[in-house]
Each structure stands twice: as structure tokens, then as C-alpha cells.
Amino acid sequence: MEARILFVAPFADLAKLAEEVVAERFADSSHLIKVVKGDLQECIAIVKQAVEDGVEVIVSRGGTANLIKKNVNIPTVHIQVTVMDVLRALRQSTEYPEKIGIAGFENVIYGCEDLATLLGITFVEIALKNEDEAPEKIAAAVKNGVELIVGDAISTKIAARIGVQGALIQSGKEAIYKAINEAALIAHIRREEQEKAELLGTVIDTSAEGIIATDTNDRITIFNPMAEKIFQVSHLEAIGNQLQTVIPQFSLAGNDDSSEKMADVQRIGDKTLTIKYNQIKVKGEIIGSIYNFQNVSQLQQLEQNVRKKLHAKGLVARIKMADIVGLSSACNALKRKAAKYALTQSTILITGESGTGKEMLVQSIHNVSTRAEGPFVAVNCAALPENLLESELFGYAEGAFTGAKKGGRQGLFELAHGGTLFLDEIGEMPLSLQSRLLRVLQEKAVMHLGGDTVIPVDVRIVAATNQNLAKLIEEKNFRQDLYYRLNILRIHMPTLRERIEDIPLLAKEMIKKMKHINGKVTGIHLEAREYLKQRSWPGNIRQLANTIERAMLLSSGPIISKQDMIEAYDEEGESVGEGSREKGEMKDSLAMVEHEILLRVLGEEEYNYNRAAARLGIHRTTLWRKLNAKAAKK
């Protein structure tokens, strides 16, 4: 590393003394301090070269220090002359003349009047502002009776030229140490400030926003690369000019001294920009302003990219509150409550019969909430075996079990960070997992299976069930403390039987969505709608959708008739008993989910049935039988 401090000694003795001080007091950092000898003009070339080489602070004395300060733009530390230094200079004379001239710059002569009083002699101060006036002032002092000139190198040289005795004031080690120590402190502070400036400059230059800063006269002081790109103006043309001159189309409404912060959207040229304005204050005093510009089209593109990634992972809620069809009092009350609850961060428990549209409601709650831009993650607690559900929810560390993925795997809680986690069929969750879920809700943190690190998560939980949780608690199949954690806000889904007046609207919407099944069908006859309103619908909206789908396939004309609807409804097989078909469909759905999970785990285990079965917690023959049974049905 190059030297950061340059010590310039006007005379050889001072250079030697400085080297001793560096060796004695700055041994650990001596490579950062360079000592050179140079007086007045001869030192300027040395100093300028040192600055180019990276020197950050100069240390010197008297006129040499003043001259250096004028020629370079880095801090120059003056070696302060002490009373002891003056006394040492006086000792060079065997006897004191009547008048002694103290010549030099302010740091040399300051305080000498006290010394004169103590010694009982007369000091004549010869104050020098620059070296050019030294010959004249010293000559004038000699003419007025001064017989000894005590001062710095410049003063004693001039005294010698005019035949007057001179006594050179040499700085002691303590003064040199103080000066170098001060220089080291300045160098350290400058380095820290430089690092901060470099960091800030990098942040500004690499920002995706256009950043413009102005002073109190509205003149531009910062114009970053993104601002150049947005406004097609070089920072060389912008800096130093008024903002209104550089961007004449720009004006921020309400931008006056009373507005500390403002936000706006403007069309500037061919771009629509979002604009944020903030005043820059130092200790309450306004020293300028800063403007942040973003291209709306870039923001939209960024949002699209994020949404594409979330869609690719299936972590997006597609249903909005407006998609929930129904104008009945029960449906309207449901939507009002859901919209109100959505704006909180509290856990929500949704109850109701199967097929009432619980997941649709949860997705719409997510999209109304402040977490709408975050991920939406759903998991059916009844669809997965206990050990697999645990690893899915909480993730696992590398080597947590045989066949664990290298590097481990994130759990659904982590994937849902900043968003919503929907736990469907929460009543089916095994008791052992209920305790882990309760801990996550309390601690707001998860730990991977086989891991030892706690990972903070910010997740809003919405749980749903079609079971009676109070009864499950009595039967010791559901934890009471978890129930109270989940049941902070509660929404009960009305059955289709409780919102009969919504059936025609639902049927119309379903026909529109299932147009691909039979493009000829455009509507449903009034008699068919009335027939639908008279049915019991134990399977609720899901059963209604299945019936409409069959009716569309059965219909030969553009309008579904009552007879079409009777045939479609009769195929539900009511003689089997209410809800039996719904249960059968759910069983088939769960079997399909199970089959997909079995295949996925088998694939991850490279089709090793032993490892896959061990990971799933079942016997190898059971795994083989389940997979072959599904294949046989196909």
C-alpha cells in the first residue's frame, strides 16, 4: 500500500527528528508515512507527485506548509510551535540582546508574549502572512534595533543574508508526534468518507430509478445513468444547469418549500413516469431536493416478470372478489365480511360444507389484502401422508432422511413468505403436526426437518375445514390451543341451499366458462332454472357445476331445457344417498393426488422402490400395489 501521509521537512534536522518519531511512535504504520526534505519551491514538485501517488494528507511547518496548502487540494497539517521550541532556540545564544525579533507565521509567534514576561525580555513580533513579505519586514525590524531573529527556516535565512544573528526554532518530538497523529486521523476520516461516497455513488449509478438531485437554487448536482437513459441527456450537459432548463416539460404540482414529500405521475416526452420528490435537510436546514423517476412501462414489465415466475410456481391467487357470483343476502354478507377481514393480518378460519367454494373465497381474500403482490400457497392437509406433509410444510435440510434432496428443500411456509398460506382441510392434519404448526404461528419462524437454524417467516394463515372442529377437540383429535390460534376471524360459507336465488346466476356463469364443452349452448330455459332451485344440492356449488356440465353435453339445442337438466341431475345417483357422489368424487381426487406424489417421490429416488417406500413411511409392496392399482383403473 502506498504512503497516505507525506511529512515535508524544511530542513534536515527536522526530517531526521520526524523519522525518529515515526520509528518510535508509528512503527506499525510506518509504511504509510513518508518523510522528505524540501523547502519552499523545491518541495512543490515532490508534493504534487506524492498526491498523484495517493498521498492523502501533508504534514509540514511554517512557510513551507503555507506554500504547499496553496498548491495542492488535500489537507495540510501545520506543526504547531510550542513555547518549549522557542526556549530551545533562545538557548543557542549565550546572552539575550535588548530586542529579540520573533519572526514567522501565526503558529510560530502565537503565545510568545507570555514567554517574554517570564524571561523579562522584549520580543518584537514580526508576523508574516506569506514568504514574499519576509525580507522587507525583517529588514525593517533590524533597522528598529532588533539584534536577534528567532524564527522558522525562511526568517533565519533572511537574517543571515542581512548580517543579523538568527536562531532557528526547531520543533520537538512531541509537536511532530501530535501533527502526524492528527494527519493519521484526518487520513482515516477521509478514507471512511471516500468509501461512503464510493458506496453512495455506486448505489446511485446502478439504481433502476432515474435520480436527480438539485441544490437550493434548483441547479442539478446529481444526474445518474438511468436519468440519462430516461431523458436522453448526458450528465455533462445536465449538472450545473437548472432542472427546468434540462427537462422543460417537467413540473411537480405542489412542489414548494412547504412540501417535504410529493408523488406524481406525468407524461414527459414519449414516456409515462412515476415521480417522487423529497427535500434534503441537514439539521433541519433545506440544502436541496432529490427526485426519483421510474418508467411506468418498465414497472409494468417488472411486475409481469414477477407474476410469470409466480405463475410458473403456481403461487398466484387467480380468483378476485368480483369473481364470486351471487347477489343473495347470504352471499353479499359473506363478501362484505371477507373484504373487511382481508385488510387485517389476523388468521382466518373458514368453515362450511364441501363444495361451497372455500378456496375461491381464500384466493379473493388474498387479492384484496395488502399481501396481494406476495405469493399465494395452498396445501390440502388431507391429501398427503403425515411424514410427507411435514416436509412439504416445513422443508428439510440436506441429509435429513434417506433420499433427501441435495442442499435440502424450502417448505411451503418459506415459499409463502410475504404472502398467504392456505391450509385446506385443516381438521385432517395429524396431531403431531398440529403442535409444530402451533409453534410456527407463535414464533413466526420455522425450522427445517433435520436442521438447526430458525428461519423467520412473515405469512398470513387462512385455514379451512368442512368438519366440526369443536367435536374433534372433544374426541382429542384436534388441539384446542391450535383451534384458538386459528379461530381469530371466522367466516362460515353458506350452503347452496341457503342462497337458492343465486343458482340462476351461477348456472349462467358456469355455461359461459364451460363454452368449450359445447359451443352451441348459449343459455338455460326458465323452467330449467326453476327446476335447479328446487333441488337439494348436497354437493353445493361443485355438484351444481357437474350437473351443468352434463346438461351442456346432453343438450341438442342452444338452450338447456328442463328435461336436459332433469336427466343431468338424475345422473347424480340420488338413490345412493345425499353426498355419496360428492364423497366418491373427493375420494377419486385424493387418489389422484396421492398417485402423483407417489410417482414424484419414486422419481426423486431414481425409481428405487425401497428408498421411496422408506421415505413415504409405507412398505415396498404397498407402494407397488398402489401404483399398479391406479394403472389398472386406466
Side-chain angles (χ1 to χ4, degrees), residues 11 46 96 144 153 216 267 403 422 425 452 459 493 502 545 557 581:
F11 45 89
I46 299 172
Y96 303 143
N144 288 328
T216 51
R267 184 81 181 171
F422 173 42
E425 303 295 351
D452 57 5
V459 176
M493 299 293 295
D502 288 333
R581 181 172 180 85

Side-chain angles (χ1 to χ4, degrees), residues 274-389:
T274 62
I275 304 161
K276 288 185 287 185
Y277 157 80
N278 284 274
Q279 290 179 346
I280 305 171
K281 292 184 177 181
V282 176
K283 293 184 178 180
E285 182 183 350
I286 299 171
I287 63 166
S289 304
I290 191 161
Y291 302 85
N292 297 70
F293 300 86
Q294 278 188 293
N295 195 325
V296 170
S297 62
Q298 289 180 335
L299 287 174
Q300 291 170 337
Q301 185 62 49
L302 180 63
E303 182 182 357
Q304 286 174 7
N305 291 340
V306 171
R307 287 196 169 274
K308 281 179 184 176
K309 289 179 181 179
L310 291 175
H311 272 286
K313 292 182 177 180
L315 306 181
V316 173
R318 296 173 177 83
I319 307 300
K320 295 181 170 56
M321 200 67 76
D323 297 326
I324 297 177
V325 178
L327 296 175
S328 65
S329 58
C331 187
N332 285 334
L334 169 77
K335 288 191 278 188
R336 279 196 302 272
K337 182 182 280 191
K340 190 177 292 185
Y341 286 176
L343 299 178
T344 73
Q345 299 297 323
S346 301
T347 302
I348 299 175
L349 178 62
I350 298 177
T351 59
E353 292 181 8
S354 181
T356 49
K358 292 188 284 294
E359 181 162 354
M360 283 187 68
L361 182 67
V362 177
Q363 289 195 29
S364 65
I365 286 172
H366 172 79
N367 281 325
V368 172
S369 75
T370 56
R371 297 173 177 267
E373 297 303 316
F376 175 82
V377 180
V379 60
N380 189 319
C381 300
L384 302 174
E386 179 178 342
N387 57 343
L388 199 55
L389 179 60

Side-chain angles (χ1 to χ4, degrees), residues 193-222:
E193 292 301 319
Q194 187 178 5
E195 287 174 0
K196 288 178 184 176
E198 290 290 340
L199 176 62
L200 181 60
T202 301
V203 170
I204 291 171
D205 288 345
T206 58
S207 174
E209 297 184 358
I211 299 175
I212 301 176
T214 59
D215 61 17
T216 51
N217 295 317
D218 210 29
R219 293 191 181 278
I220 295 172
T221 55
I222 294 174

